[in-house]
Amino acid sequence: MAEIGTAGVSVDDLTEAQAAVELARLAAAIDAANRAYHTEDAPEISDAGYDALKRRNADIEARFPLLKRTDSPSEQVGGAVSEGFGKVVHAVRMLSLENAFGRDEVAAFDERVRRFLNLGPEQALTYTAEPKIDGLSLSLRYENGVLVQAATRGDGEVGENVTANARTIADIPQNLVSAPPVLEVRGEVYMSHVDFQALNARAAAEGSKVFANPRNAAAGSLRQLDATITKSRPLRFFAYAWGEVSEPLAATQSGVIARFNELGFKTNPLTVNCSDTEGLLSQYDRIGAGRADLGYDIDGVVYKVDDLELQRRLGFRSTTPRWAIAHKFPAELAWTRLLAIDIQVGRTGALSPVARLQPVTVGGVVVSNATLHNEDYIAGRDSTGAAIREGRDIRVGDWVEVYRAGDVIPKIRDVDLARRPAAAMPYVFPDKCPECGSDAVREAGDAVRRCTGGMICPAQAIEKLKHFVSRAAFDIEGLGAKQIEMFFADDMLPVREPADIFTLAERDAANLAKLSHRDGFGEKSVTKLFQAIEDKRQIPLARLIFALGIRHVGETGSALLANHYVSWAAFERAMTEAEVGQGPEWEELNAIDGVGSVLAASAITTFHQAHERASLDRLVAQLQVQDAVMARTADSPVSGKTVVFTGTLEKMTRAEAKARAEALGAKVSGSVSAKTDLVVAGPGAGSKARQAEALGVEMIDEDSWLRLIGAA
Ligand code: IVH
């Protein structure tokens, strides 16, 4: 090959036209060599020959930068060892699925979808049903038919760049013929049972670590920094979803799957269309019955609305689509001895009983801890006092039945009284916090006993801090649960509350015993840590609210609060002025759709506790809190407006109208006030329309609304 065309000509002597031709030839030659090496496992040229091609390509590109091709080999890692994974911001968020655990929940899903779309029970609605593969999701980006990037899901918004590794997976095409210019194909990377067993046998023989299950093996293999290791681990891929696409792939979910097949992807052969829940459930039974013979792990069946226009209308909740659900298989079970019951204290002071078990394998995973929920659960009662397990209590020394379903922490389901040791005594739940000795009290209506120590309880403080730095909160690189424990216990550089994190660098600088002199830290890692902390001084409002760890205020609640109050100043003022149970601020908070009185009371209470409040003020003084504006919706005509729907809507259900308005950045409120910008009134609008008139708030009908948002 080195002798053909201009290959022997010095780069300096090439004309532009010659250079373009040679770059094309080099791209093809290097791609062929990559494929031979990575996917066909049959290298055609020597390493030195390969390097020479890459070098010549780089030299020509350096002289003619404008000729650099979009599929330039210099942008591809071709099996080289990558230096840590880069981050990839997903063009379209990677979502997860809501779970259903029984047939009723599937029926409820269908009802919810129909209600949202205003479809009666007799109206046709097609779903797809397909196995839920127990692997890890991967997003593949093709530009002009060329695989340019592969990224893991990460937190859904930012994943890891595993392009070099994905190129080693045989099921993943490197090039596509007649694909749209931009196409992101998403699916699951998994490992077959046979390959998993062979891999573990090899690892055991070499004395290295064995994987607990095929999913861990697949994840561990895909996330290898050295792509040659990934290549030696046989991974597979099923395509089932997509991210950014420059043109529609089909009109239905099943149409897209067919298109994926034509493009050369593997799709799951057990995917079918069903016209009703009966059909879904019988496919669930069929897939469940064949599960053991599939040769790879699945943990349920995914149902999706087939029509993509309906999917679009249904849209998304914060992290899951409304148009899909995962119907999980029942949990896997095993019996073992309960060795001890430990009490853990969480960030809200909850005392959680944890079962320490004689290790046992449950569905391929060794389990030695399980949750026991709360004191009633141990005693054999539910929260209303009714008997569970026919009233059988759980005692240390008992034989207990452990189960796990998917990712959730193992649980204890039953106890075998026939094998109970004679000396086993009923478990007495502590009424003092095991961490700080404060009273642990159980309020009426609460299933949980809580430590009353608040900030003086080290367990609560430390759990709050761990939550604060967790991935959905501040997500500070290099500051995880382990480091929090270390800093919390540290006398020289203590971190006892969130604000302390942001004064670490300053305190370290003033300190003689520098962090960089300690074991496990070096100049470089300390600089990196301080930079990572610095980077998070700017924080979006929703993340900050979530990070505070206020009881009952989760990710969704935080987003609702942030979108409503927009700025920290407004949120803080409202919480400070609000009174639980009454007054305009209380009304306003409760009028936010999705915010209930429990969340509202909890948020207000936090701001009214003097020491909590002081700690909060110290934290916020360290930060620049970013207002909540959804970037993508900032330019919509209703962005930032407060809208009230009233009367009967004829083109869509109230739920759909609200979801759409919110997706465009509007705030939807249940009541009309001076803060309302727009009232959308359908036939039969009553008191709200009158109030809008009285307040001089703009009022339009449904058609005008649809025109306004560009949906007419
Ligand atoms: S659809 C927008 N289909 O399950 C919805 N997911 O629990 C995108 N998964 O993160 C997901 N098999 O990793 C879909 N047939 C399937 C799936 C599947 C496995 C995984 C996926 C997702 C997780 C959610």
Side-chain angles (χ1 to χ4, degrees), residues 268-287:
N268 197 287
L270 297 170
T271 310
V272 296
N273 278 10
C274 302
S275 55
D276 51 22
T277 42
E278 298 292 294
L280 294 177
L281 295 173
S282 58
Q283 181 64 1
Y284 175 83
D285 291 337
R286 235 187 333 268
I287 292 177

Side-chain angles (χ1 to χ4, degrees), residues 359-678:
V360 62
T361 306
V362 190
V365 172
V366 178
V367 169
S368 44
N369 303 309
T371 173
L372 282 163
H373 305 287
N374 54 51
E375 59 186 298
D376 284 345
Y377 191 81
I378 298 175
R381 295 186 294 263
D382 71 9
S383 58
T384 68
I388 50 171
R389 298 185 301 270
E390 294 162 344
R392 290 186 285 280
D393 69 327
I394 294 172
R395 304 182 183 184
V396 173
D398 271 338
W399 280 88
V400 290
E401 191 179 30
V402 183
Y403 74 101
R404 52 182 285 274
D407 267 347
V408 293
I409 11 170
K411 301 187 171 103
I412 305 265
R413 166 142 110 170
D414 209 351
V415 50
D416 187 352
L417 293 186
R419 288 202 273 178
R420 170 168 286 173
M425 297 297 287
Y427 180 72
V428 181
F429 205 90
D431 56 7
K432 294 264 186 274
C433 172
E435 298 285 341
C436 70
S438 304
D439 286 342
V441 301
R442 201 175 150 181
E443 279 169 23
D446 196 349
V448 171
R449 194 171 279 277
R450 287 173 203 278
C451 163
T452 52
M455 302 277 275
I456 68 138
C457 175
Q460 285 188 52
I462 210 166
E463 291 308 317
K464 257 186 187 283
L465 281 164
K466 285 184 190 169
H467 170 79
F468 185 85
V469 299
S470 66
R471 197 143 82 162
F474 270 66
D475 189 21
I476 298 172
E477 217 168 311
L479 194 62
K482 218 175 75 196
Q483 290 79 8
I484 285 293
E485 280 181 11
M486 184 207 86
F487 282 119
F488 189 83
D490 197 302
D491 286 331
M492 300 295 290
L493 268 182
V495 172
R496 307 268 154 79
E497 62 169 37
D500 295 343
I501 294 171
F502 294 94
T503 58
L504 254 183
E506 198 185 314
R507 288 184 287 143
D508 186 57
N511 212 321
L512 287 179
K514 295 257 177 290
L515 192 55
S516 56
H517 300 160
R518 298 199 195 174
D519 278 356
F521 285 96
E523 276 311 331
K524 240 176 146 175
S525 65
V526 171
T527 313
K528 242 175 112 179
L529 173 65
F530 290 166
Q531 188 56 49
I533 292 172
E534 210 47 47
D535 291 347
K536 294 292 160 83
R537 274 190 206 273
Q538 284 216 4
I539 192 86
L541 180 59
R543 270 190 187 253
L544 171 62
I545 297 176
F546 176 66
L548 300 180
I550 302 170
R551 206 172 139 207
H552 304 297
V553 184
E555 258 185 286
T556 307
S558 304
L560 292 173
L561 293 172
N563 288 339
H564 181 82
Y565 291 103
V566 182
S567 70
W568 171 261
F571 175 58
E572 182 202 27
R573 194 177 329 114
M575 293 306 105
T576 311
E577 286 168 11
E579 265 178 90
V580 173
Q582 57 184 331
E585 289 83 11
W586 170 259
E587 299 296 330
E588 179 181 347
L589 185 53
N590 279 271
I592 304 174
D593 227 303
V595 171
S597 57
V598 174
L599 186 161
S602 179
I604 296 171
T605 310
T606 298
F607 279 77
H608 287 229
Q609 280 165 351
H611 48 274
E612 287 268 2
R613 179 56 197 263
S615 157
L616 242 172
D617 290 345
R618 284 191 291 273
L619 169 66
V620 174
Q622 296 289 334
L623 305 173
Q624 289 122 37
V625 185
Q626 296 165 327
D627 288 356
V629 232
M630 276 180 268
R632 251 174 290 176
T633 54
D635 51 0
S636 103
V638 295
S639 170
K641 299 256 160 77
T642 301
V643 181
V644 174
F645 291 98
T646 180
T648 314
L649 300 181
E650 287 165 335
K651 304 260 164 61
M652 54 188 149
T653 62
R654 196 62 81 72
E656 183 176 358
K658 171 171 174 288
R660 264 232 222 157
E662 284 172 349
L664 291 167
K667 288 181 271 187
V668 177
S669 172
S671 56
V672 177
S673 74
K675 291 190 185 150
T676 311
D677 293 300
L678 189 63

Side-chain angles (χ1 to χ4, degrees), residues 95-97 130-133 137 153 188 240 302 304 321 323:
L95 299 163
S96 55
L97 294 168
E130 63 194 292
K132 182 168 188 298
I133 317 298
S137 46
R153 176 171 183 276
E188 202 84 352
Y240 55 65
V302 183
K304 298 172 184 166
W323 41 264

Side-chain angles (χ1 to χ4, degrees), residues 93-99 129-138 153 186-189 238-242 253 268 271 298-304 311 316 319-321 323-324 326 328 407:
R93 254 187 332 141
M94 286 184 85
L95 299 163
S96 55
L97 294 168
E98 194 193 341
N99 291 326
E130 63 194 292
K132 182 168 188 298
I133 317 298
D134 199 5
L136 69 155
S137 46
L138 185 68
R153 176 171 183 276
R186 292 177 175 175
E188 202 84 352
V189 172
F238 278 129
Y240 55 65
W242 58 96
Q253 179 77 32
N268 197 287
T271 310
I298 62 174
D299 57 350
V301 179
V302 183
Y303 308 141
K304 298 172 184 166
Q311 282 192 6
F316 305 93
T319 58
T320 56
W323 41 264
K328 303 294 280 279
D407 267 347

